[in-house]
Amino acid sequence: MSVLIFADQSEGHIKKAAFEALSYGAALAKNMNTTAIAVVLGPVSADGAAELGKYGVSKVLLAATDALAHLDGQAFAAAVAQAATQEGAQVVVFPHNPDGKAVAPRVAVRLKAGLVAGAIDLPDLSGGGFVVRKNVFSGKAFAYVSVTSPIKVISLNPNSFHVQAGDGKAEVVAFAPDAVAPRVKVTAVNKVSGEVPLSEAEIVVSGGRGLKGPENWGLVEDLAHVLGAATACSRPVADAHWRPHHEHVGQTGLTIRPNLYIAIGISGAIQHLAGVNGSKVIVVINKDPEAPFFKAADYGIVGDAFDVVPKFTAAVKELKGK
Amino acid sequence: MRILVCISKTPDTTAKIAFTDNNTKFAEAGVQFIINPYDEWYALVRAIELKEADPSSVIHLVTVGGADAEPVIRKALALGGDEAIRVNVDVADSFAVASQIAAVATAGGYDLVLTGKETIDYNGSAIGGMLAELLGMPYIALATKVDVAGGTATVTREIEGGEEVAEVALPVVISCQKGVAEQRIPNMKGIMSARTKPLKVVEPVAVEALTTVHHFELPPAKAGVKLVSPESVGELVRLLHEEAKVF
Ligand SMILES: Cc1cc2nc3c(=O)[nH]c(=O)nc-3n(C[C@H](O)[C@H](O)[C@H](O)COP(=O)(O)OP(=O)(O)OC[C@H]3O[C@@H](n4cnc5c(N)ncnc54)[C@H](O)[C@@H]3O)c2cc1C
Ligand SMILES: Nc1ncnc2c1ncn2[C@@H]1O[C@H](COP(=O)(O)O)[C@@H](O)[C@H]1O
């Protein structure tokens, strides 16, 4: 009996989304009166693995092999399913990030487990049930999904559960999953270095067509820089190649749930809102008081971005300087 | 090359989201349905491009759903594809849908199976991975670029804060998103020819769903925006710091 959490790594470091999944899995294990165990695949040090105890797991199964350095869905799914069986896991938790999306559905099939993809709350266990809330209709509604299989798989939406860090240390146990012939050969990894990944960012500064052209993005970048934020954009901005595609948020782009989303010169079309309306706090800067975005906003300034944003940046700088 | 494209039907992106039957069913009345944008713009268009490059290729479309899914699959045929298969069963859950598609895929023997990144109504991002597991095939999720040459697919996929390029021997399942292709508008010739393309209806295999939607809920309405004058931007920063506590 246990809750097993897949804690994914990149270049030997456990990802932030995994810390959330670990905290979530530990809280769930507590509610189920069982233990939380993590499984780590890839070259992570034993010390690094023991650190995961901070998030409430008592044990870490560590397969610290270079063979699992990069994602191979079949090998990873086989290993996680093997760990789940070995530990008698009733629930397997993944981060709902790119690797989680690739592996969780496979593990669900292997374990004949129902999957809740993109959970945003802990399961409601009342009356012996297992009901988990997730976003549906691109953030426009929630579904309460009831899982009816004996084993359950959950992938946790990023920024949906607070990381709870204490000071425990986990017991690290070497884990040697049965070998699976690799099918995927990773030939290149291109990371935008020095920037906060959009999907993980707690603060996002986003620009739309109201900024007139790519030459004006310094405004967005300066504000993002002082806030330690990631940058995003509306779809027409990415389509016009003012900004790279991976910054496009909305119904047909990335869905994000930061703590703070600052929209500058974006009208707030329903397809745009679909990608950002899970944000905890939304600030809109738009010169048109009728812009639909104000209806979805918590704070707003009706004004010219070219005037307001530099002042915003300066005021944050002043605050942080104190 | 034999290509299978998985097509789902979703409410239009501007549709009003509301529920009936004690919040257990999506209110379909008056709602326009479209091809899930990821399936149409990226998966299907990329399949068409691959066939344009290698005309000996065959493209089949598959959808799992009742007769009400037919207008959407016809619309997909108007963009391209040689024939469509509809598995005649209502959608139960991701596993059930993946199992139906797996039966079609096994019968058809495809080299490349393309799905969208996710449906814009259920937002599962799950069916491609389940399908791949059922078929024993590799799966590349969230592709932004898909090339095929000499029996190998070279796929760029999204990772946190960047991209990864991977090579994988066919057959493979790939979920597609922005970058894979550019949206196309169906032309008159396509619309005419779609009418005569075969649309086969097959009966479902027996499979049990593992999840059910207990009920839906709409998010609470926002309290309303607090407006700050452009003359006092410092006040906004103070509110964000002290009241909203976001930095
Ligand atoms: C099927 C479908 C899917 C879509 N998916 C997406 C998606 O995923 N993401 C997305 O973003 N869009 C998407 N769209 C497009 C969406 O409908 C809108 O067209 C788009 O979001 C508008 O982008 P925008 O707000 O940057 O531009 P605009 O709508 O042109 O708005 C620009 C705004 O800037 C303001 N402005 C102008 N000058 C200034 C200034 N000096 N200072 C301050 N404000 C100023 C204007 O008042 C205006 O509100 C989709 C559309 C469809 C049909
Ligand atoms: N009913 C369906 N019939 C055929 N393909 C589907 C169906 N539902 C989903 N898909 C495919 O699976 C992808 C992912 O769906 P989901 O896991 O629901 O987000 C979609 O983009 C489609 O390509």
Side-chain angles (χ1 to χ4, degrees):
Chain A
M1 300 273 263
S2 64
V3 171
L4 182 75
I5 303 106
F6 171 68
D8 67 333
Q9 58 84 29
S10 166
E11 291 159 7
H13 301 286
I14 304 292
K15 295 178 190 166
K16 178 189 160 220
F19 297 153
E20 295 170 357
L22 290 161
S23 303
Y24 178 95
L28 174 58
K30 209 168 179 192
N31 291 350
M32 295 174 67
N33 291 319
T34 181
T35 51
I37 299 171
V39 55
V40 173
L41 306 178
V44 170
S45 69
D47 284 347
E51 286 286 304
L52 301 185
K54 279 206 306 221
Y55 307 102
V57 294
S58 53
K59 182 159 91 176
V60 179
L61 302 180
L62 175 62
T65 157
D66 283 335
L68 297 171
H70 293 289
L71 178 70
D72 180 308
Q74 281 159 303
F76 275 47
V80 175
Q82 184 181 334
T85 306
Q86 178 185 314
E87 301 298 331
Q90 296 148 288
V91 186
V92 185
V93 179
F94 289 84
H96 194 57
N97 62 4
D99 286 5
K101 288 176 188 179
V103 183
R106 302 197 82 115
V107 169
V109 168
R110 279 184 170 255
L111 299 175
K112 299 191 173 52
L115 168 69
V116 182
I120 54 175
D121 274 337
L122 283 169
D124 177 354
L125 305 172
S126 58
F130 195 97
V131 178
V132 192
R133 187 160 75 124
K134 81 180 284 292
N135 287 320
V136 287
F137 295 99
S138 305
K140 287 177 240 168
F142 304 118
Y144 289 80
V145 180
S146 167
V147 187
T148 47
S149 51
I151 302 177
K152 285 95 175 159
V153 177
I154 296 176
S155 59
L156 175 70
N157 229 31
N159 288 338
S160 297
F161 196 81
H162 269 295
V163 173
Q164 284 148 12
D167 43 26
K169 279 242 185 287
E171 174 200 359
V172 178
V173 178
F175 173 54
D178 300 338
V180 171
R183 302 275 282 272
V184 176
K185 192 172 123 204
V186 174
T187 54
V189 178
N190 308 316
K191 286 211 182 173
V192 194
S193 59
E195 287 176 33
V196 184
L198 187 49
S199 54
E200 294 189 356
E202 280 168 15
I203 303 181
V204 174
V205 183
S206 187
R209 214 146 49 177
L211 284 171
K212 310 284 185 283
E215 66 281 6
N216 298 324
W217 241 262
L219 284 180
V220 172
E221 283 167 348
D222 288 348
L223 179 57
H225 184 73
V226 295
L227 289 169
T231 52
C233 67
S234 67
R235 177 169 163 227
V237 164
D239 283 351
H241 303 292
W242 296 359
R243 298 298 292 175
H245 277 318
H246 62 79
E247 283 198 0
H248 156 200
V249 293
Q251 185 127 42
T252 46
L254 216 56
T255 303
I256 54 172
R257 291 172 62 89
N259 289 331
L260 175 61
Y261 183 75
I262 303 173
I264 305 169
I266 304 176
S267 57
I270 191 159
Q271 297 93 354
H272 184 85
L273 295 181
V276 303
N277 58 7
S279 309
K280 287 189 189 88
V281 174
I282 294 179
V283 173
V284 169
I285 299 168
N286 195 304
K287 68 174 186 190
D288 175 9
E290 301 297 319
F293 221 144
F294 284 116
K295 292 206 176 66
D298 301 282
Y299 299 94
I301 292 185
V302 179
D304 187 335
F306 296 92
D307 163 48
V308 171
V309 179
K311 288 188 197 159
F312 197 155
T313 307
V316 174
K317 249 192 205 151
E318 199 192 307
L319 177 84
K320 300 242 164 169
K322 274 186 193 156
Chain B
M1 182 166 53
R2 291 176 63 77
I3 308 173
L4 181 67
V5 184
C6 303
I7 300 285
S8 54
K9 138 184 174 276
T10 55
D12 184 26
T13 53
T14 55
K16 182 175 177 338
I17 306 303
F19 303 99
T20 62
D21 296 38
N22 251 333
N23 286 325
T24 57
K25 279 204 178 69
F26 174 62
E28 296 198 352
V31 170
Q32 171 105 25
F33 282 88
I34 59 169
I35 311 172
N36 186 44
Y38 294 106
D39 310 356
E40 173 183 349
W41 302 354
Y42 309 126
L44 177 55
V45 174
R46 188 62 191 137
I48 295 167
E49 289 172 355
L50 290 171
K51 183 172 161 126
E52 284 166 356
D54 169 14
S56 71
S57 293
V58 173
I59 302 175
H60 288 176
L61 315 183
V62 62
T63 194
V64 179
D68 56 348
E70 292 206 354
V72 163
I73 197 104
R74 282 273 177 225
K75 204 183 145 218
L77 282 172
L79 277 164
D82 300 296
E83 68 172 68
I85 300 153
R86 177 172 70 82
V87 184
N88 187 28
V89 63
D90 285 337
V91 169
D93 78 342
S94 309
F95 177 69
V97 171
S99 302
Q100 299 303 342
I101 301 173
V104 169
T106 303
Y110 301 97
D111 307 296
L112 183 63
V113 181
L114 300 180
T115 74
K117 153 181 145 166
E118 65 181 42
T119 44
I120 63 168
D121 51 1
Y122 192 66
N123 306 119
S125 227
I127 285 173
M130 291 182 172
L131 176 61
E133 187 64 30
L134 290 164
L135 297 172
M137 288 184 191
Y139 170 56
I140 309 287
L142 313 180
T144 55
K145 197 166 184 288
V146 176
D147 283 309
V148 181
T152 299
T154 303
V155 187
T156 305
R157 73 166 180 116
E158 173 196 325
I159 57 174
E160 282 107 330
E163 292 183 329
E164 184 177 275
V165 185
E167 286 174 4
V168 53
L170 302 182
V172 59
V173 181
I174 300 172
S175 84
C176 302
Q177 62 167 331
K178 188 167 179 140
V180 164
E182 296 280 342
Q183 182 183 6
R184 287 189 185 185
I185 309 294
N187 56 28
M188 211 48 205
K189 187 165 153 265
I191 294 168
M192 297 305 283
S193 71
R195 294 192 187 152
T196 55
K197 287 180 184 172
L199 195 171
K200 289 188 190 148
V201 178
V202 302
E203 289 310 312
V205 293
V207 50
E208 258 177 65
L210 304 171
T211 61
T212 54
V213 173
H214 185 269
H215 68 283
F216 294 101
E217 185 182 81
L218 292 171
K222 284 255 175 188
V225 57
K226 206 176 252 189
L227 288 179
V228 176
S229 146
E231 308 309 322
S232 44
V233 180
E235 172 63 6
L236 173 67
V237 171
R238 189 192 68 77
L239 286 168
L240 291 172
H241 181 60
E242 292 173 10
E243 184 180 82
K245 298 192 170 64
V246 284
F247 54 72

